[in-house]
Amino acid sequence: MGEIFAQQMMALRPRLLTFATSLTRNRVIAEDVVQESIMRAWRAREQLQPGSNMDAWLCTIVRNQYYTHLRKRRHEVADTGDIDYSALVKPAEHESIDGINEILHALSILPIHFRSALLAVGVMGLSTKDAAEFCGVEEGTIKSRMNRGRTVLAERLGITHWGRAKTALSETV
């Protein structure tokens, strides 16, 4: 079971990394969260019931590890060095990056239950049934959260026509 489990788990790693990045909004932290999650999943591999959805199980571990990361972060002390890090940043040269950044910002300030539903289905490609299992709610609740989340995003982005909002959000998210 161990080798097959490891292969299946590593095949899902890119999706886990995408999900963790959407939660943390930081690729380096997301990689740490996914690595720790994979180690925890390996240690708890006997708890995964045969026939269960490994993807949803691993996503739940990633989400819980992210929450653990947030709790630990409260106790960290900010760097007080004199280095001006803003000088190390080069602005993007693409005009379209502004639109993506605007959507990412609007997505980042959505309530977590809306954001989780949108990301589980839109980014990770889970079915609404699997997303419901992942979020620990009924399928109808996921559909409702996705609809309300899209509506809030469309309002924040100034999209007035639902068809354009749905198309714009599904292309980006």
Side-chain angles (χ1 to χ4, degrees):
M1 174 179 169
E3 186 175 329
I4 294 171
F5 180 87
Q7 289 172 350
Q8 290 172 340
M9 187 168 52
M10 294 314 289
L12 293 171
R13 190 179 187 287
R15 287 177 61 157
L16 298 174
L17 187 56
T18 300
F19 177 61
T21 302
S22 69
L23 290 173
T24 64
R25 295 180 291 279
N26 181 311
R27 182 70 176 206
V28 174
I29 294 172
E31 289 174 357
D32 290 343
V33 167
V34 169
Q35 184 63 32
E36 182 62 31
S37 298
I38 287 174
M39 291 185 334
R40 287 176 185 256
W42 178 256
R43 288 191 299 263
R45 66 188 175 274
E46 300 300 325
Q47 294 177 15
L48 182 64
Q49 300 295 319
S52 294
N53 185 336
M54 180 185 263
D55 195 9
W57 183 70
L58 289 170
C59 287
T60 300
I61 294 171
V62 168
R63 183 189 62 205
N64 292 342
Q65 184 59 35
Y66 169 64
Y67 291 149
T68 299
H69 167 77
L70 288 179
R71 282 191 299 275
K72 287 180 180 178
R73 209 169 119 186
R74 285 185 219 158
H75 303 291
E76 292 179 1
V77 177
D79 181 13
T80 58
D82 294 335
I83 299 172
D84 180 16
Y85 291 105
S86 64
L88 301 175
V89 176
K90 180 181 176 192
E93 297 176 13
H94 306 337
E95 290 181 26
S96 64
I97 199 76
D98 291 336
I100 293 171
N101 284 336
E102 184 180 357
I103 291 171
L104 289 175
H105 174 70
L107 190 60
S108 73
I109 59 177
L110 271 180
I112 188 74
H113 56 279
F114 289 162
R115 187 169 67 230
S116 293
L118 287 171
L119 294 174
V121 175
V123 174
M124 297 174 57
L126 296 178
S127 67
T128 54
K129 180 181 177 188
D130 289 341
E133 181 182 331
F134 164 69
C135 292
V137 297
E138 297 295 322
E139 187 174 4
T141 302
I142 284 295
K143 290 177 180 179
S144 174
R145 287 179 180 178
M146 287 178 54
N147 184 46
R148 293 191 329 232
R150 284 185 188 131
T151 300
V152 171
L153 277 177
E155 289 171 1
R156 289 186 179 160
L157 296 171
I159 300 172
T160 57
H161 186 267
W162 178 245
R164 286 188 298 210
K166 194 172 181 183
T167 302
L169 293 175
S170 64
E171 288 173 358
T172 307
V173 174

